[in-house]
Amino acid sequence: MKMDDKHINADFFHRMMDMLEQQLGKNTEIVLHDYEKGYDHTIVDIRNGHITGRQIGGPGSNLGLEVLSGTTENGDKYNYITKLPDGRYLRSSSLYIRDEAGNAVGCLCINTDISETLRMEQFLKDMNRCDLSQSEDEIFVTDVNQLLDCIIKKTQENIGKLPADMNRDDKIEFVRQLNQKGAFLITKSGERVQEYLGISKYTLYHYLDLIKNQKKD
């Protein structure tokens, strides 16, 4: 990598490495490659080399070889996963540095060891043991009238019609579902349901009687 005035100078690259090291922490390896030094010792700066065991003067990876050989035209890759021989996982990104002719002259690579967080993620899944697609429709409110309103709203959504569009069978089913959910245990719930459905007290009790008789049958 020609780090002279024609390109970005070496001081900038190393200050950038300082910044990334401070920003990303000890679990992230940052590697700067210079491809003009021969592929067996391209690493000119590395931070947190304990992640892969590499050091300054070490070689590049197979991905860099593919770019230099022309097998891979671009080569820039962001947020990809690599598995190390010891079983650890890295989340990586590689950005190639090119000269004015478009030739790859270097590369900046970032490798974050996510092995511990993957184990923690699995631990949390085992701990939570939940399937969000099978969640219960439990309602938490601060006022019992809010609870009744929520039950009425959910029941109306189940019926799929507004009260004005409901026929007699729809309204009976509406009352049946409310009764099943215990809505009529709430004080003055009958009045609220009568008003919502546009029916009389007599009609509501008639519906409830029909529902009770259906259960006996």
Side-chain angles (χ1 to χ4, degrees):
M1 189 189 316
K2 294 180 180 178
M3 295 182 179
D4 53 24
D5 293 339
K6 189 175 181 182
H7 301 89
I8 301 176
N9 59 47
D11 177 65
F12 172 82
F13 279 106
H14 294 304
R15 286 190 295 113
M16 179 173 62
M17 297 283 285
D18 290 339
M19 178 189 71
L20 291 174
E21 181 183 12
Q22 293 298 314
Q23 179 70 26
L24 299 176
K26 65 180 182 179
N27 289 323
T28 297
E29 177 188 74
I30 308 107
V31 190
L32 183 63
H33 294 276
D34 183 346
Y35 291 152
E36 295 189 345
K37 292 185 174 295
Y39 208 75
D40 55 342
H41 51 272
T42 64
I43 298 176
V44 293
D45 196 349
I46 185 169
R47 311 298 170 89
N48 298 318
H50 63 275
I51 299 294
T52 62
R54 294 179 295 174
Q55 57 187 352
I56 291 176
S61 72
N62 60 305
L63 297 183
L65 280 176
E66 293 175 6
V67 172
L68 292 178
S69 66
T71 305
T72 301
E73 184 174 347
N74 183 356
D76 292 351
K77 296 183 67 174
Y78 310 129
N79 199 35
Y80 60 92
I81 301 299
T82 302
K83 185 176 182 180
L84 298 178
D86 62 7
R88 286 179 296 137
Y89 286 92
L90 305 182
R91 184 166 60 84
S92 305
S93 291
S94 299
L95 179 68
Y96 287 85
I97 304 163
R98 299 181 180 276
D99 60 18
E100 293 178 350
N103 300 311
V105 294
C107 184
L108 176 65
C109 301
I110 297 176
N111 305 302
T112 301
D113 188 341
I114 60 172
S115 305
E116 289 297 324
T117 54
L118 286 175
R119 281 192 282 271
M120 178 59 70
E121 182 180 343
Q122 186 59 52
F123 169 80
L124 292 174
K125 286 181 179 179
D126 293 341
M127 176 65 72
N128 289 333
R129 299 177 62 193
C130 65
D131 183 354
L132 297 181
S133 65
Q134 298 180 2
S135 60
E136 295 289 337
D137 290 330
E138 187 169 6
I139 303 169
F140 299 98
V141 295
T142 57
D143 180 270
V144 72
N145 291 319
Q146 292 178 357
L147 179 59
L148 179 59
D149 287 341
C150 288
I151 293 174
I152 288 175
K153 180 180 178 182
K154 285 183 173 293
T155 304
Q156 184 268 314
E157 291 173 353
N158 289 340
I159 299 297
K161 296 180 181 179
L162 294 173
D165 299 322
M166 293 182 191
N167 57 32
R168 181 175 180 274
D169 289 340
D170 293 331
K171 292 181 179 180
I172 292 174
E173 175 60 20
F174 186 92
V175 172
R176 187 192 68 77
Q177 291 189 26
L178 288 182
N179 186 58
Q180 187 178 37
K181 295 173 183 177
F184 294 109
L185 296 176
I186 300 174
T187 303
K188 295 185 178 180
S189 58
E191 296 177 7
R192 176 75 178 90
V193 174
Q194 293 164 35
E195 178 185 357
Y196 185 79
L197 291 179
I199 59 177
S200 66
K201 181 178 180 180
Y202 169 81
T203 301
L204 175 59
Y205 282 109
H206 177 61
Y207 289 170
L208 288 170
D209 286 339
L210 289 174
I211 293 166
K212 289 179 181 178
N213 291 332
Q214 288 174 355
K215 287 183 177 180
K216 292 178 182 180
D217 296 339

